[in-house]
Amino acid sequence: MNLIQLSPRFYAAFLLCLTAACGSSSDDTPPEGSGGGSSGTSGATSSSASGGASSSASGGASSSASGDTSSSTSTGTPDDTPEFPDTPRGELLEELWTSSRAGKFRFGYENAITWGLYDPGTKQLVSTNGWFSSMAGAASRGERGWSSDAGATVGENPGLFGVSLDAMVFDPVPWNRRDVTADAAAYMLEQPGGMVAVDWHTPPCNYDVSTSDFADAIETPLATLTVDGQSVPIHAQGGGTPFYAETYYSRSLGSSADIPENLKCICKIANDVPIEQGTHAGISARDWLVAHAKYVAQFFREHGLDGKPIVLRPFHEHTGGWFWWGQPYWNCQALLDDDQAVTGPAAYSAAYRTFAEAVRSEPGMENVIFAYSTDKVRKLSDSEVTPAEAKVRDPESLSRDMLRARLVEELSELGAAYESPPQEAIAALEDEGQPPSALLEAYYLEAYPGDDLIDILGIDLYYPYERAASPADLEDMKAMASAVAAIGAAKGKPHALTETGTYRLHLLHRVGKLAAGASLTLYPADHVSKWHDTLFDESLRTDFLANYGLGSAGAVTLSSAEVTSLFPDAGRGALTEDWYNTHLLDLAKSAGVAYALTWQTYYDGSDFDNKAVYYYVPFPGHPEADNFRRFADDPAVCFGATACQ
């Protein structure tokens, strides 16, 4: 078959014409305003993009929205209140819809009441593992109330608890965290207005548990389930980051034979192809995923979480290339060497549906709420950094991103990467200001699994680490979130910031402690060396060192002049950037989101003031604590569980 190749600019113009930018709607009536939180987006634009674009890209999956499983029914007029089912699931969706239309949103963060670093009793910082034992573990046993770092700062715990399946359902049994985390979820759901949002960082289908650093803790299966006559052992996930796409990428791809097996997992699931490597070799990839879905349901039933309206968000941030399920790895016809294979966005949609349908078909899972969430749907316009700002980048993050970029480049050279037409069209317009919302909406919906499965529309919007958040960032974030809002209004579905955050809280803490004129060692030599050595290509290593102004792997230090250039008030006490009020609050209000979830805390308990530590909410005594309290007190923020009721 000969296919006509459209240039990105032609594709953009063609799509905009289809979505009423040519001056008329499909029924010759004038486009209506979109309502909701979006700005400058027409109802016809969102309706057309969310209907036509998604059904053609995802193989028509979204056209099947009907029946009792649908989250709502809507006339398509954005200001109409959808009819939600009279079930716990429908009740929560209606609450989210109603509160967001009233200008209110829920707030929470990942592992809020299970992971922390601030002990309110001693007023000291402790390791996250120690905090889990002394705070969450004790709460699970009924020895104290549930608590959180945010609660210590504000005075009450957030009413939204985020958690990953890998930190609860698939956590190793010897670590003694599964039951505590499940108790935390159950506690939150018992609170009037309490909400639990679950993600999943799953290892790929080819994962070999014997290679894990924690193999002894996970080699015994949690269970063995039978799917289509095949016995599928279910193992705990054992920590680490095997879910990253570059995990098995240790040399250049000379041919298709060199493509790592993990990058074929989405395609193998979508096409029901056997796994060739790892613990589950010989088992159908589809059956592998279905078995894991069934085990999730089994765990929920065993821990009293069945029948509850839990938000489940599998295969998130698929528009990026960092997870094995990401967009570059959808060219199934090339990856499987099968010109009849389900491929492209339809493969992702099929994999998502496989998991979601398997969960929903299990007893007690009828109230599970499924969320769909992309990462950013455009590059930030304020993307340049100074040499000093470039040094702030964590060597791990830089090394991983360099490997991923090379991996995708090599896949493209082999003709084995999926290249998204709407993404390319957006990139072609990036020098011309904000891309039209219709184009952002089309990209957002490119792999949409369907209205009959999806209840909540989400987008993950993290801010840069190297530099302070800028006004341009805020406008870009608003445009992306508003595109999702327009789709939600047209489909009658709540929309959310399913993940967001700033990485800079600890950097501000560290700089605020500097004396005037002091330098700042950002990363020690051993950390830099580890991630330098991970790069197998000498040219990548050279570029890595150049980012930090280094001739060889060593400590990364900001000179006194560089500190002053980045933080003019350094040496004068506490520093703040007030991201929560100047960015998150404005963004959430503007887009009319139903909730916003930031990420988790993790601290190993050592040398807090002298190394990178990541946490996303401030603890008491942190320079941003007062600003965070002001954010929590804003009338738009439903901080506690009952605040939105």
Side-chain angles (χ1 to χ4, degrees), residues 95 105 150 299 341 393 408 410 498 574:
E95 287 178 13
F105 67 95
F299 182 94
R393 181 80 176 273
V408 173
E410 292 187 345
T498 38

Side-chain angles (χ1 to χ4, degrees), residues 98-311:
T98 303
S99 60
S100 67
R101 279 353 191 226
K104 293 178 175 291
F105 67 95
R106 299 170 189 235
F107 173 81
Y109 63 104
E110 189 82 350
N111 294 317
I113 58 175
T114 51
W115 291 22
L117 56 75
Y118 180 81
D119 185 331
T122 64
K123 296 182 171 52
Q124 299 294 315
L125 302 183
V126 299
S127 74
T128 296
N129 286 340
W131 194 99
F132 181 92
S133 298
S134 62
M135 308 289 283
S140 174
R141 296 188 297 271
E143 298 168 2
R144 57 167 298 134
W146 293 94
S147 57
S148 64
D149 288 349
T153 303
V154 172
E156 64 175 336
N157 294 324
L160 169 58
F161 175 56
V163 65
S164 186
L165 290 177
D166 37 294
M168 180 170 65
V169 177
F170 298 107
D171 205 52
V173 173
W175 295 1
N176 297 316
R177 301 191 306 190
R178 289 155 47 92
D179 292 348
V180 174
T181 307
D183 287 347
Y187 163 80
M188 188 60 69
L189 291 167
E190 290 167 359
Q191 309 311 301
M195 180 176 166
V196 173
V198 181
D199 54 83
W200 189 22
H201 297 81
T202 176
C205 63
N206 65 307
Y207 185 56
D208 186 342
V209 299
S210 69
T211 64
S212 170
D213 291 340
F214 308 99
D216 289 347
I218 66 174
E219 61 184 357
T220 301
L222 299 169
T224 298
L225 302 182
T226 301
V227 179
D228 293 339
Q230 293 195 91
S231 294
V232 183
I234 306 296
H235 290 267
Q237 297 182 190
T241 55
F243 43 79
Y244 282 140
E246 74 279 6
T247 298
Y248 301 92
Y249 178 53
S250 57
R251 60 190 175 100
S252 290
L253 307 181
S255 70
S256 58
D258 297 326
I259 297 174
E261 174 86 352
N262 66 320
L263 304 184
K264 303 176 184 179
C265 286
I266 277 289
C267 294
K268 291 194 170 191
I269 294 165
N271 290 279
D272 201 8
V273 173
I275 301 164
E276 295 180 15
Q277 301 171 2
T279 299
H280 296 94
I283 294 173
S284 154
R286 178 189 174 280
D287 291 348
W288 166 82
L289 184 60
V290 169
H292 282 77
K294 287 179 172 293
Y295 185 72
V296 170
Q298 176 181 316
F299 182 94
F300 279 14
R301 287 192 296 268
E302 291 171 348
H303 290 80
L305 299 175
D306 53 319
K308 301 295 194 297
I310 295 172
V311 178

Side-chain angles (χ1 to χ4, degrees), residues 187-468:
Y187 163 80
M188 188 60 69
L189 291 167
E190 290 167 359
Q191 309 311 301
M195 180 176 166
V196 173
V198 181
D199 54 83
W200 189 22
H201 297 81
T202 176
C205 63
N206 65 307
Y207 185 56
D208 186 342
V209 299
S210 69
T211 64
S212 170
D213 291 340
F214 308 99
D216 289 347
I218 66 174
E219 61 184 357
T220 301
L222 299 169
T224 298
L225 302 182
T226 301
V227 179
D228 293 339
Q230 293 195 91
S231 294
V232 183
I234 306 296
H235 290 267
Q237 297 182 190
T241 55
F243 43 79
Y244 282 140
E246 74 279 6
T247 298
Y248 301 92
Y249 178 53
S250 57
R251 60 190 175 100
S252 290
L253 307 181
S255 70
S256 58
D258 297 326
I259 297 174
E261 174 86 352
N262 66 320
L263 304 184
K264 303 176 184 179
C265 286
I266 277 289
C267 294
K268 291 194 170 191
I269 294 165
N271 290 279
D272 201 8
V273 173
I275 301 164
E276 295 180 15
Q277 301 171 2
T279 299
H280 296 94
I283 294 173
S284 154
R286 178 189 174 280
D287 291 348
W288 166 82
L289 184 60
V290 169
H292 282 77
K294 287 179 172 293
Y295 185 72
V296 170
Q298 176 181 316
F299 182 94
F300 279 14
R301 287 192 296 268
E302 291 171 348
H303 290 80
L305 299 175
D306 53 319
K308 301 295 194 297
I310 295 172
V311 178
L312 187 51
R313 186 171 57 100
F315 301 133
H316 63 299
E317 297 177 6
H318 57 273
T319 47
W322 41 91
F323 296 135
W324 59 260
W325 57 85
Q327 172 189 298
Y329 321 118
W330 299 347
N331 187 348
C332 301
Q333 294 180 356
L335 290 172
L336 300 181
D337 192 23
D338 177 2
D339 61 7
Q340 299 301 308
V342 176
T343 196
Y348 171 85
S349 177
Y352 190 110
R353 292 188 69 89
T354 294
F355 180 78
E357 289 173 347
V359 170
R360 277 248 176 102
S361 68
E362 285 287 304
M365 297 300 110
E366 64 280 355
N367 284 309
V368 171
I369 291 170
F370 282 98
Y372 166 84
S373 69
T374 66
D375 192 63
K376 298 180 185 72
V377 289
R378 62 151 296 174
K379 179 181 177 182
L380 293 180
S381 54
D382 189 2
S383 58
E384 299 298 319
V385 295
T386 67
E389 289 171 335
K391 285 186 173 184
V392 175
R393 181 80 176 273
D394 191 312
E396 177 180 357
S397 171
L398 178 61
S399 177
R400 289 188 181 280
D401 278 353
M402 293 176 77
L403 281 173
R404 292 163 189 156
R406 174 65 65 86
L407 171 59
V408 173
E409 179 184 352
E410 292 187 345
L411 283 173
S412 296
E413 291 170 353
L414 293 172
Y418 173 71
E419 295 171 351
S420 163
Q423 183 188 37
E424 292 181 339
I426 291 167
L429 300 176
E430 66 183 23
D431 294 331
E432 301 179 14
Q434 203 64 250
S437 184
L439 201 51
L440 300 179
E441 292 167 35
Y443 184 33
Y444 178 85
L445 286 164
E446 186 181 28
Y448 184 63
D451 285 338
D452 58 323
L453 277 182
I454 301 303
D455 302 301
I456 293 175
L457 304 174
I459 189 167
D460 293 5
L461 297 177
Y462 284 98
Y463 277 70
Y465 183 35
E466 298 93 328
R467 57 173 178 76

